[in-house]
């Protein structure tokens, strides 16, 4: 298939001409089947977004179709960009368009040598960047508030647990030794270990005291315990 852009008085504007060679049984060309289609009638299943633009050029570098959408970019600017990238290979190329530099995606249409240029307006990228920064700032603020709230709850629970331990120690006397109970509130791991060691020491002291009293109670003689 040979395709090109035809423009003149005969077609009253631009037209894309498709020409297919007709071959006989010996694969010799005996004629051509040709047709012309206005560029405006060539549409695809996908449409450009408001911030997108596209240019299509033929194998001679002539603009077949251009669509600037609502980007505010003029048709001469798009055509100048296409002329600049007419000999560029496929891929992303950075060119100056309007008031800034943009990345243009270049794609070659094989067999007919056409090229498609697609890009996004710089203003749209800037607005999206600002929107992303704004969302990131709001998200960071929300996370910070949640973190402060969690730390406050943890600190309150830890303080309540430590206060409970203090109350138990104050109510304890030399003749009334009771194990410390960890209940109500959040207690740090180090303090839990200290309380466990204290309770073990208290249990050993209590057993020693009971053994001493039991030994004294078995003695037949009278034992009087006085001061020095």
């Amino acid at each position: 298939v040979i395709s090109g852009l035809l423009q003149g008085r005969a077609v009253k504007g631009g037209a894309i001409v498709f020409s297919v060679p007709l071959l006989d049984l010996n694969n010799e060309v005996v004629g051509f089947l040709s047709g012309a289609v206005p560029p405006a009638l060539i549409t695809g299943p996908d449409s450009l977004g408001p911030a997108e633009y596209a240019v299509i050029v033929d194998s001679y570098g002539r603009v077949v179709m251009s669509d600037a959408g609502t980007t505010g970019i003029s048709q001469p600017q798009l055509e100048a960009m296409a002329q600049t990238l007419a000999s560029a290979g496929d891929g992303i190329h950075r060119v100056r368009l309007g008031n800034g530099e943009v990345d243009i995606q270049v794609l070659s249409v094989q067999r007919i040598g056409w090229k498609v240029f697609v890009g996004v307006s710089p203003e749209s990228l800037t607005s999206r960047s600002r929107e992303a920064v704004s969302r990131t700032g709001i998200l960071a603020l929300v996370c910070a508030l949640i973190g402060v709230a969690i730390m406050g709850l943890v600190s309150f629970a830890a303080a309540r647990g430590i206060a409970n331990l203090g109350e138990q120690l104050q109510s304890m006397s030399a003749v009334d030794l009771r194990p410390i109970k960890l209940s109500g509130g959040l207690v740090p791991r180090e303090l839990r270990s200290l309380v466990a060691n204290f309770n073990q020491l208290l249990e050993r002291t209590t057993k020693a005291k009971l053994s001493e009293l039991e030994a004294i109670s078995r003695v037949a003689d009278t034992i009087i315990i006085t001061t020095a």
Side-chain angles (χ1 to χ4, degrees):
V1 177
I2 302 174
S3 178
L5 179 64
L6 177 64
Q7 188 170 0
R9 291 178 296 175
V11 295
K12 297 181 180 180
I16 301 174
V17 179
F18 298 90
S19 183
V20 182
L22 303 178
L23 308 178
D24 60 9
L25 297 178
N26 298 322
N27 289 330
E28 295 182 357
V29 179
V30 295
F32 292 90
L33 177 63
S34 301
V37 181
L41 296 182
I42 299 181
T43 58
D46 300 324
S47 59
L48 296 177
E52 300 172 342
Y53 52 85
V55 183
I56 302 177
V57 298
D58 63 5
S59 56
Y60 298 99
R62 296 174 296 186
V63 177
V64 177
M65 185 187 308
S66 63
D67 186 359
T70 59
T71 59
I73 302 175
S74 63
Q75 296 295 334
Q77 289 177 332
L78 288 180
E79 295 179 5
M81 178 269 296
Q83 295 295 332
T84 303
L85 298 177
S87 59
D90 292 357
I92 298 177
H93 299 269
R94 193 165 186 83
V95 298
R96 187 168 187 80
L97 183 62
N99 297 326
E101 294 185 350
V102 295
D103 292 331
I104 304 297
Q105 179 72 41
V106 181
L107 176 64
S108 299
V109 182
Q110 302 299 328
R111 300 290 298 273
I112 62 176
W114 287 19
K115 287 190 175 181
V116 180
F117 308 94
V118 182
V120 181
S121 65
E123 293 78 7
S124 173
L125 294 178
T126 303
S127 62
R128 290 182 182 180
S129 300
R130 292 176 179 174
E131 183 179 357
V133 171
S134 177
R135 290 182 178 179
T136 303
I138 295 175
L139 181 60
L141 179 59
V142 172
C143 292
L145 293 177
I146 294 176
V148 171
I150 293 176
M151 291 299 296
L153 292 176
V154 171
S155 300
F156 176 77
R160 183 178 179 183
I162 295 174
N164 186 17
L165 294 179
E167 293 176 356
Q168 294 184 51
L169 291 174
Q170 289 179 358
S171 61
M172 192 178 302
S173 62
V175 295
D176 184 17
L177 298 178
R178 299 185 306 273
I180 298 177
K181 297 181 180 180
L182 296 176
S183 61
L186 181 64
V187 180
R189 183 177 59 183
E190 293 78 4
L191 188 57
R192 286 181 178 273
S193 178
L194 179 62
V195 170
N197 294 333
F198 177 81
N199 288 336
Q200 291 179 1
L201 179 61
L202 183 63
E203 182 180 0
R204 290 197 296 267
T205 303
T206 303
K207 289 182 178 180
K209 183 177 180 181
L210 292 177
S211 299
E212 181 181 354
L213 293 177
E214 183 178 359
I216 293 175
S217 62
R218 291 180 180 180
V219 176
D221 299 332
T222 302
I223 297 177
I224 300 175
I225 300 176
T226 64
T227 63

